[in-house]
Each structure stands twice: as C-alpha cells, then as structure tokens.
Amino acid sequence: MLATAGAAHAQSSLDVPAGASQTLAGGSMDMACGDVSVEGTLDLVGGTLTGVRHLRVAAGGQLILGAGSITLAGNWANAGTLSADTGSVNFVDDAACATQSTVSGNSTFHALTITSANNKLYQFAAGSTQTVQHALTLSGVQIQSTTANSPATIHLLKGGTQNLAALSVQDMAATGQWLAPDQTNLLVGGRVSRWFAGSADLRPVPASSTLSLLGMALAIAALAARRRRQARSHG
C-alpha cells in the first residue's frame, strides 16, 4: 500500500493493480499530466489528485473519494466503482496535457465541475448516464454525445444545485432536473432533451407503417359498422 501525506509531489503515473490497495492518507499528489489507472482500490482519504491527464477505473476497480478531490484535463473512464462520498471531480483546461475530453461509463458524483476558457469539447459516451448528487457546474464548454442522435444523459438529483453558463450542447439529455432552463443553447439547432428553454425530446417518435395504418383504419371501420348496427337494433 502506498500512503502519501503532507505536501504535494509530482508523479508521472499512478497504477493500482488488481488486488492492490493504495491511499493518499489525506495528502496531495500532482500527477504532472500523468495518468491514473485503478484496477484495485485507490482511497483518497480526503486527499487531492491534481494534474491528472486520463483517469481509468477498470472493471473490478474501486475509487474512493471521501472528502477529497480530483482535477483532470483528459478522459474519465469508469467501468468499476466510484464512491463519491462528499468529494469532487473537476475538469479543467490544460492544452499541453489534453485538448479535449471523453467521459465514459456510468458514474455518480457528489460534485462535478467542467469549465473552460477555450470552448473545450467534452464528449459523453452515448447511452451513458452521469449522476450528480449535490452540485453541477458547467461553463464555457461544448458538450455532446459520442454518437449523433444517440444521447448521453446527465442526471442532476432534485436537491442538487446547478451553475451553468455559456454552453454549446448536442445530442444530450437531462433527467432529474431540467438543465439551464433559463438559458439558450449556443449551438443553434443543437439536439437536446430537457436542456434550455423549450427543448424537444431527443427520443424519436416511431413512424407508423402502412400495414399498421391499414389495421387501424379497418378497426375504426369495424367499430363504426358495429355502432350503426346497434343504432338500427334500437331504432
């Protein structure tokens, strides 16, 4: 087990193999644009990880935030278990480290912050859901699903707070709370569901086939004939 406490120090990568356990012991670690890979258990115990490029939690891996925080510039891939507790995950600009980010897997965050001064692109895996329990901050970014017409979802719990501004959004859905209900999508014509004022539902309405339309017409005709017969029998 690696225990780290006290002042921050730089590390190029952090790999926790399957079956292993590491902890920051409440300390801090500057990854200096290194990657974090968790196949075993990584427990921040209230500590902080900064300067992360890409973070991956493999199937069977566990990341425990406690009251700690992670700051990263690249990708977030979660196929394991994230214990959010009261911790925070913060995506930031660092063009020398990563110019865009992809968020994949389903994660539940206590607090999630994604901000950019450069209109950075964040792609969310189609069909995935990111749940935010307490506080969601999105500012100055492009947000889109990885697949056109196949939305990804951000679910903000009813009791959570949202601080959203200057967003260009495409092929994204919202559940829980309606997101940015008093704002306008900077991407004109961007396909969204329950984002911004008056947005439509992304789910396609299935078109009726010719056969189903014929069946409905026959059913209506049969009902009308039945009512005419009933009327004549009572006449």
Side-chain angles (χ1 to χ4, degrees), residues 11 20 26 53 82 105 127 132 145 150 157 167 193 202 214:
Q11 182 166 322
R53 183 177 62 165
L82 171 66
V132 181
S145 170
S150 181
L157 297 190
L167 301 175
S193 175
L202 270 171
L214 179 59

PDB file of all heavy atoms in Angstrom, residues 11 20 26 53 82 105 127 132 145 150 157 167 193 202 214:
ATOM      1  N   GLN A  11       4.223  13.056  -9.785  1.00  0.00           N
ATOM      2  CA  GLN A  11       4.371  11.655 -10.173  1.00  0.00           C
ATOM      3  C   GLN A  11       3.841  11.507 -11.584  1.00  0.00           C
ATOM      4  O   GLN A  11       2.791  12.049 -11.924  1.00  0.00           O
ATOM      5  CB  GLN A  11       3.614  10.741  -9.203  1.00  0.00           C
ATOM      6  CG  GLN A  11       3.759   9.258  -9.520  1.00  0.00           C
ATOM      7  CD  GLN A  11       3.303   8.389  -8.361  1.00  0.00           C
ATOM      8  OE1 GLN A  11       3.539   8.728  -7.214  1.00  0.00           O
ATOM      9  NE2 GLN A  11       2.664   7.275  -8.675  1.00  0.00           N
ATOM     10  N   ALA A  20      -4.576  -4.903  -5.349  1.00  0.00           N
ATOM     11  CA  ALA A  20      -3.767  -3.992  -4.537  1.00  0.00           C
ATOM     12  C   ALA A  20      -4.630  -2.866  -3.985  1.00  0.00           C
ATOM     13  O   ALA A  20      -5.722  -2.581  -4.483  1.00  0.00           O
ATOM     14  CB  ALA A  20      -2.624  -3.429  -5.352  1.00  0.00           C
ATOM     15  N   GLY A  26      -4.920  11.336   2.993  1.00  0.00           N
ATOM     16  CA  GLY A  26      -5.255  12.737   3.204  1.00  0.00           C
ATOM     17  C   GLY A  26      -4.261  13.701   2.617  1.00  0.00           C
ATOM     18  O   GLY A  26      -4.425  14.916   2.733  1.00  0.00           O
ATOM     19  N   ARG A  53      -3.974  13.585 -16.311  1.00  0.00           N
ATOM     20  CA  ARG A  53      -4.379  13.613 -17.714  1.00  0.00           C
ATOM     21  C   ARG A  53      -5.618  12.732 -17.865  1.00  0.00           C
ATOM     22  O   ARG A  53      -6.731  13.222 -17.856  1.00  0.00           O
ATOM     23  CB  ARG A  53      -3.251  13.136 -18.635  1.00  0.00           C
ATOM     24  CG  ARG A  53      -3.649  13.232 -20.107  1.00  0.00           C
ATOM     25  CD  ARG A  53      -2.527  12.847 -21.043  1.00  0.00           C
ATOM     26  NE  ARG A  53      -2.104  11.448 -20.873  1.00  0.00           N
ATOM     27  CZ  ARG A  53      -1.350  10.794 -21.762  1.00  0.00           C
ATOM     28  NH1 ARG A  53      -0.937  11.416 -22.854  1.00  0.00           N
ATOM     29  NH2 ARG A  53      -1.001   9.542 -21.544  1.00  0.00           N
ATOM     30  N   LEU A  82     -17.197   3.920  -8.306  1.00  0.00           N
ATOM     31  CA  LEU A  82     -16.802   5.221  -7.776  1.00  0.00           C
ATOM     32  C   LEU A  82     -17.596   5.475  -6.508  1.00  0.00           C
ATOM     33  O   LEU A  82     -18.824   5.517  -6.541  1.00  0.00           O
ATOM     34  CB  LEU A  82     -17.078   6.327  -8.789  1.00  0.00           C
ATOM     35  CG  LEU A  82     -16.893   7.758  -8.255  1.00  0.00           C
ATOM     36  CD1 LEU A  82     -15.435   8.038  -7.924  1.00  0.00           C
ATOM     37  CD2 LEU A  82     -17.425   8.784  -9.262  1.00  0.00           C
ATOM     38  N   GLY A 105     -18.625   5.358 -19.288  1.00  0.00           N
ATOM     39  CA  GLY A 105     -19.076   4.615 -18.122  1.00  0.00           C
ATOM     40  C   GLY A 105     -20.126   5.414 -17.374  1.00  0.00           C
ATOM     41  O   GLY A 105     -20.396   6.575 -17.682  1.00  0.00           O
ATOM     42  N   GLY A 127     -25.472   6.707 -24.531  1.00  0.00           N
ATOM     43  CA  GLY A 127     -26.143   5.734 -23.680  1.00  0.00           C
ATOM     44  C   GLY A 127     -25.698   5.748 -22.234  1.00  0.00           C
ATOM     45  O   GLY A 127     -26.305   5.068 -21.400  1.00  0.00           O
ATOM     46  N   VAL A 132     -25.275  13.416 -10.720  1.00  0.00           N
ATOM     47  CA  VAL A 132     -24.675  14.401  -9.816  1.00  0.00           C
ATOM     48  C   VAL A 132     -25.615  14.590  -8.642  1.00  0.00           C
ATOM     49  O   VAL A 132     -26.782  14.931  -8.812  1.00  0.00           O
ATOM     50  CB  VAL A 132     -24.422  15.744 -10.520  1.00  0.00           C
ATOM     51  CG1 VAL A 132     -23.780  16.737  -9.556  1.00  0.00           C
ATOM     52  CG2 VAL A 132     -23.522  15.542 -11.740  1.00  0.00           C
ATOM     53  N   SER A 145     -22.799  14.072 -27.186  1.00  0.00           N
ATOM     54  CA  SER A 145     -22.692  12.619 -27.162  1.00  0.00           C
ATOM     55  C   SER A 145     -21.632  12.181 -28.164  1.00  0.00           C
ATOM     56  O   SER A 145     -21.334  12.875 -29.135  1.00  0.00           O
ATOM     57  CB  SER A 145     -24.046  11.992 -27.510  1.00  0.00           C
ATOM     58  OG  SER A 145     -23.922  10.603 -27.723  1.00  0.00           O
ATOM     59  N   SER A 150     -27.886   9.748 -30.653  1.00  0.00           N
ATOM     60  CA  SER A 150     -27.910   8.744 -29.586  1.00  0.00           C
ATOM     61  C   SER A 150     -27.426   9.432 -28.315  1.00  0.00           C
ATOM     62  O   SER A 150     -26.220   9.503 -28.066  1.00  0.00           O
ATOM     63  CB  SER A 150     -27.019   7.553 -29.934  1.00  0.00           C
ATOM     64  OG  SER A 150     -27.071   6.569 -28.915  1.00  0.00           O
ATOM     65  N   LEU A 157     -29.754  15.283  -9.349  1.00  0.00           N
ATOM     66  CA  LEU A 157     -30.786  14.986  -8.364  1.00  0.00           C
ATOM     67  C   LEU A 157     -31.583  16.236  -8.000  1.00  0.00           C
ATOM     68  O   LEU A 157     -31.081  17.361  -8.083  1.00  0.00           O
ATOM     69  CB  LEU A 157     -30.154  14.390  -7.104  1.00  0.00           C
ATOM     70  CG  LEU A 157     -29.436  13.044  -7.257  1.00  0.00           C
ATOM     71  CD1 LEU A 157     -29.075  12.479  -5.884  1.00  0.00           C
ATOM     72  CD2 LEU A 157     -30.280  12.033  -8.028  1.00  0.00           C
ATOM     73  N   LEU A 167     -22.939  27.457 -22.834  1.00  0.00           N
ATOM     74  CA  LEU A 167     -22.814  26.056 -23.232  1.00  0.00           C
ATOM     75  C   LEU A 167     -23.296  25.825 -24.654  1.00  0.00           C
ATOM     76  O   LEU A 167     -24.313  26.376 -25.082  1.00  0.00           O
ATOM     77  CB  LEU A 167     -23.630  25.173 -22.274  1.00  0.00           C
ATOM     78  CG  LEU A 167     -23.244  25.238 -20.797  1.00  0.00           C
ATOM     79  CD1 LEU A 167     -24.220  24.415 -19.970  1.00  0.00           C
ATOM     80  CD2 LEU A 167     -21.824  24.768 -20.591  1.00  0.00           C
ATOM     81  N   SER A 193     -32.567  17.221 -24.977  1.00  0.00           N
ATOM     82  CA  SER A 193     -33.815  16.908 -24.279  1.00  0.00           C
ATOM     83  C   SER A 193     -33.703  17.389 -22.841  1.00  0.00           C
ATOM     84  O   SER A 193     -32.799  16.992 -22.116  1.00  0.00           O
ATOM     85  CB  SER A 193     -34.075  15.396 -24.306  1.00  0.00           C
ATOM     86  OG  SER A 193     -35.228  15.084 -23.528  1.00  0.00           O
ATOM     87  N   LEU A 202     -35.349  14.182 -27.410  1.00  0.00           N
ATOM     88  CA  LEU A 202     -34.499  13.568 -28.426  1.00  0.00           C
ATOM     89  C   LEU A 202     -35.020  12.223 -28.902  1.00  0.00           C
ATOM     90  O   LEU A 202     -34.660  11.768 -29.971  1.00  0.00           O
ATOM     91  CB  LEU A 202     -33.083  13.360 -27.865  1.00  0.00           C
ATOM     92  CG  LEU A 202     -32.100  14.504 -28.061  1.00  0.00           C
ATOM     93  CD1 LEU A 202     -30.841  14.217 -27.266  1.00  0.00           C
ATOM     94  CD2 LEU A 202     -31.747  14.654 -29.525  1.00  0.00           C
ATOM     95  N   LEU A 214     -53.239   0.609 -42.052  1.00  0.00           N
ATOM     96  CA  LEU A 214     -54.367  -0.126 -42.616  1.00  0.00           C
ATOM     97  C   LEU A 214     -55.133  -0.846 -41.525  1.00  0.00           C
ATOM     98  O   LEU A 214     -56.377  -0.862 -41.513  1.00  0.00           O
ATOM     99  CB  LEU A 214     -53.856  -1.124 -43.662  1.00  0.00           C
ATOM    100  CG  LEU A 214     -54.926  -2.004 -44.332  1.00  0.00           C
ATOM    101  CD1 LEU A 214     -55.960  -1.138 -45.048  1.00  0.00           C
ATOM    102  CD2 LEU A 214     -54.272  -2.986 -45.292  1.00  0.00           C
TER     103      LEU A 214
END
